[in-house]
Amino acid sequence: MAFFHYAQKLYSLDTLDTRFTNSSSTSLSSVDPAKATPKEDSAGNSQGKKGQTAPKDGPASSRWGTPEFFFYYVVFIICVSLMFKTAHDVSTPNHPNYKNYADRLSLGWIPGYKFDDTDAQYSTFRENVPYMFMLLVIHPLLRRTYEYLGKSSSPLLPSVEADARLDQRATFDLCFAIVYLVALNGFSALKVFLILYINYGVATQTPNKYVPAVTWVFNIGILFANELCGGYPYSRIVGVISPWSKSESNWGSFLDSYGGLLPRWEILFNITVLRLISFNMDYCWSLRRWSYSDSVNSPIEKLRPDPKNLSERDRIEYATSIEDYCFRNYLAYVLYAPLYLAGPIITFNDYISQSRITPKSISLSRTLLYGIRFLVCLLTMEVMLHLIYAVAISKSNPYWDIYTPFQLSMLGYFNLHIIWLKLLLPWRFFRLWSLFDGIDPPENMVRCMSDNYSALAFWRGWHRSLNRWIIRYIYIPLGGSGRSESNGLWAKARTIFNYLIIFTFVALWHDINLKLLMWGWLITLFIVPEVLAGLLFPRKKWQNHREAYRWICGVGAVGNILLMMAANLVGFAVGIDGLKGLVQGIIGSYAGQ
């Protein structure tokens, strides 16, 4: 029983992120730092958000012990085992296609198996895991040492203590970030600092009403310029200003030769662009809020909650004072080491609030449990890449006709789960580092396509911090789903149009290429069936036919999962041509030929 109790704590939503078990309007002072499982009421109903029980229109009783679900258990055991066996069988040396991708495999640590090292993104992460764990230990220890040495010997007022903590943390974050950035990018760090300086000027020197437009134009322009100019090599810059210099001997080539651990700094700069936009927009909106308080002769304190009792929503909405938007805090936020390379994304206001007062959602026990979950995910990824070579097969341009339809389906299915895991692991590692350092960013990955029947809900849980960022800085400014009194069909059309803009931006933000642009448009197209189904089968009209509605949702779930698989295979794996080959192989004939 102790094992099951520990497993329940390990896999509870509260361990993953307290935002799942507490409302965004709940004061952080009310979050129980020792809690590791969702609370239950006296009737035994699990509570998701604080003070909320299961919805009244949900199932009257659990189905886990019903004959229907026992039938599902049997189907699950047989089908999932068969799925793994099929994917493993096509990855063995006995398969005819093995010789075409064998050179992509490397020696593995599981006896008798090689390791699929094809995916460059995960391969880079895997090689650097030992060094990143060293950073995870050294960085918090350095901070604790710095804070101990700078600690005041006399007691301070709570507000003064909070300001002193912000000052101390921001100074340390900036100093460490400078060293960290130089180590990562070498002399290219100067290019990063120049972009950051210009963006700060956009926020502080541009008339307030023009700040949003100029901010978006500048930052989207930076995305394109970084891609088209290849990170602005110094040798090219020197070639422009000094065309008589020999490219192989000019000082620009010398600077380029010291590019740090990640010479191509522009590849991972996209995540920084989001923080640049966040700072500018938060600063712009704060100025307007301060101007409003002056116009109504109301002190800003009346419009802002007590810093010690800020909810997550308040942390995102409010900054304590206009002085918080200084250049030092701006650089400390944008270059915050644990979240610099990959996120999760946290807004400027939230960063400042958490730097001033540590959120009670952070506890050592919860953070350690989160770390164990990360290690379990890492082990899962390692075992999968030893047993199933879906990535190597898809990258070797195979002759798809030699695979049966079921084999092709499983290759695509497991390829997507490997993509999900390779993105989950860096995000969870960097969030783990941030939690040890005293900053609680949102959890990025909630669930994968295998246990999510809604396309809309899936995208709210995939790269969740980006989704929250998009809602705050794009979706709401665009008008969201339209006014509540708008006609239902018009509101849905407005929502789909906004999704088209959002996914176009997200595709271009990921990488400027046609494959990802097609991915963004496919995602928007594949959301349409769910939106139309919501209009044709509104839940409130099926309250007296819950069983039929459950089966309708089940049919829709299958379609949604297949569409999400297709879109993600196009965007992150085989592309349009590869998807055509997979589909032709699956539906061409019963033999897959």
Side-chain angles (χ1 to χ4, degrees), residues 40-84:
E40 292 187 348
D41 60 18
S42 58
N45 297 319
S46 176
Q47 290 181 331
K49 301 291 186 178
K50 187 174 182 180
Q52 297 177 359
T53 58
K56 294 181 180 180
D57 59 350
S61 60
S62 171
R63 299 179 186 271
W64 292 107
T66 61
E68 177 190 353
F69 269 53
F70 276 108
F71 171 73
Y72 295 157
Y73 302 151
V74 174
V75 172
F76 176 85
I77 293 172
I78 295 175
C79 291
V80 173
S81 300
L82 185 60
M83 290 164 64
F84 275 93

Side-chain angles (χ1 to χ4, degrees), residues 116-147:
D116 186 349
D117 202 27
T118 308
D119 190 279
Q121 194 173 8
Y122 179 71
S123 178
T124 301
F125 173 80
R126 186 174 188 256
E127 291 173 359
N128 289 285
V129 163
Y131 307 108
M132 291 190 295
F133 268 104
M134 289 175 58
L135 270 177
L136 184 146
V137 174
I138 293 173
H139 176 259
L141 287 178
L142 287 176
R143 183 186 294 283
R144 302 297 185 273
T145 303
Y146 176 78
E147 290 176 348

Side-chain angles (χ1 to χ4, degrees), residues 26-44:
T26 300
S27 168
L28 289 185
S29 61
S30 303
V31 177
D32 181 3
K35 184 179 69 172
T37 56
K39 293 182 179 178
E40 292 187 348
D41 60 18
S42 58

Side-chain angles (χ1 to χ4, degrees), residues 228-249:
L228 297 175
C229 298
Y232 324 104
Y234 286 110
S235 57
R236 290 188 186 178
I237 297 174
V238 173
V240 171
I241 61 178
S242 303
W244 54 86
S245 301
K246 294 183 179 180
S247 59
E248 65 274 9
S249 61

Side-chain angles (χ1 to χ4, degrees), residues 290-566:
W290 260 276
S291 298
Y292 170 76
S293 68
D294 292 339
S295 66
V296 297
N297 296 319
S298 173
I300 191 64
E301 286 77 8
K302 293 184 178 180
L303 304 177
R304 184 181 63 245
D306 180 3
K308 279 196 170 184
N309 296 314
L310 290 176
S311 66
E312 189 203 9
R313 183 183 300 165
D314 295 332
R315 289 203 323 254
I316 294 172
E317 287 294 329
Y318 299 98
T320 302
S321 67
I322 200 67
E323 288 76 20
D324 289 341
Y325 296 91
C326 64
F327 191 58
R328 182 204 62 181
N329 291 352
Y330 163 72
L331 290 179
Y333 160 69
V334 173
L335 302 176
Y336 179 57
L339 307 180
Y340 176 72
L341 288 177
I345 304 158
I346 187 172
T347 68
F348 176 80
N349 286 348
D350 198 2
Y351 167 80
I352 292 296
S353 295
Q354 294 195 48
S355 295
R356 181 173 271 110
I357 299 175
T358 304
K360 290 190 176 182
S361 59
I362 297 179
S363 68
L364 181 59
S365 60
R366 183 184 285 117
T367 302
L368 290 175
L369 286 172
Y370 186 82
I372 294 172
R373 288 186 66 158
F374 165 77
L375 293 176
V376 171
C377 292
L378 181 62
L379 179 62
T380 301
M381 181 67 154
E382 287 289 306
V383 172
M384 282 188 64
L385 291 179
H386 277 83
L387 302 181
I388 299 173
Y389 304 144
V391 182
I393 292 172
S394 66
K395 298 288 186 181
S396 63
N397 297 319
Y399 187 60
W400 296 112
D401 289 352
I402 66 176
Y403 297 98
T404 67
F406 187 59
Q407 289 173 340
L408 288 172
S409 301
M410 291 304 98
L411 284 174
Y413 181 78
F414 282 103
N415 203 339
L416 281 178
H417 284 73
I418 290 171
I419 293 172
W420 187 80
L421 276 170
K422 80 165 184 178
L423 295 174
L424 175 144
L425 288 169
W427 284 334
R428 286 207 175 163
F429 173 82
F430 289 123
R431 182 169 185 260
L432 177 65
W433 179 6
S434 179
L435 289 172
F436 273 116
D437 191 48
I439 296 292
D440 183 7
E443 169 62 29
N444 257 349
M445 288 295 218
V446 182
R447 51 171 63 176
C448 65
M449 70 290 301
S450 293
D451 64 344
N452 197 329
Y453 71 86
S454 167
L456 291 172
F458 172 76
W459 289 114
R460 294 188 189 106
W462 176 294
H463 206 166
R464 182 167 165 267
S465 67
L466 175 61
N467 176 73
R468 290 157 59 93
W469 185 95
I470 286 171
I471 290 174
R472 176 168 171 78
Y473 299 110
I474 302 180
Y475 188 67
I476 292 178
L478 284 175
S481 58
R483 297 179 180 177
S484 58
E485 65 270 15
S486 298
N487 178 270
L489 187 60
W490 164 250
K492 296 297 184 182
R494 173 72 174 270
T495 300
I496 293 172
F497 175 74
N498 289 343
Y499 282 146
L500 180 62
I501 294 176
I502 287 169
F503 279 107
T504 299
F505 167 78
V506 171
L508 294 175
W509 173 79
H510 274 94
D511 197 3
I512 301 173
N513 63 51
L514 181 60
K515 186 170 72 172
L516 280 172
L517 196 58
M518 291 298 297
W519 165 81
W521 292 341
L522 282 174
I523 291 298
T524 306
L525 177 64
F526 292 163
I527 284 174
V528 173
E530 181 175 339
V531 173
L532 295 177
L535 290 173
L536 294 174
F537 304 100
R539 182 170 182 168
K540 61 183 180 181
K541 292 185 178 181
W542 289 77
Q543 294 303 308
N544 297 326
H545 307 280
R546 296 181 181 178
E547 199 66 19
Y549 186 76
R550 185 166 68 94
W551 287 98
I552 292 172
C553 289
V555 173
V558 174
N560 268 329
I561 291 172
L562 291 175
L563 293 177
M564 284 188 288
M565 289 175 62

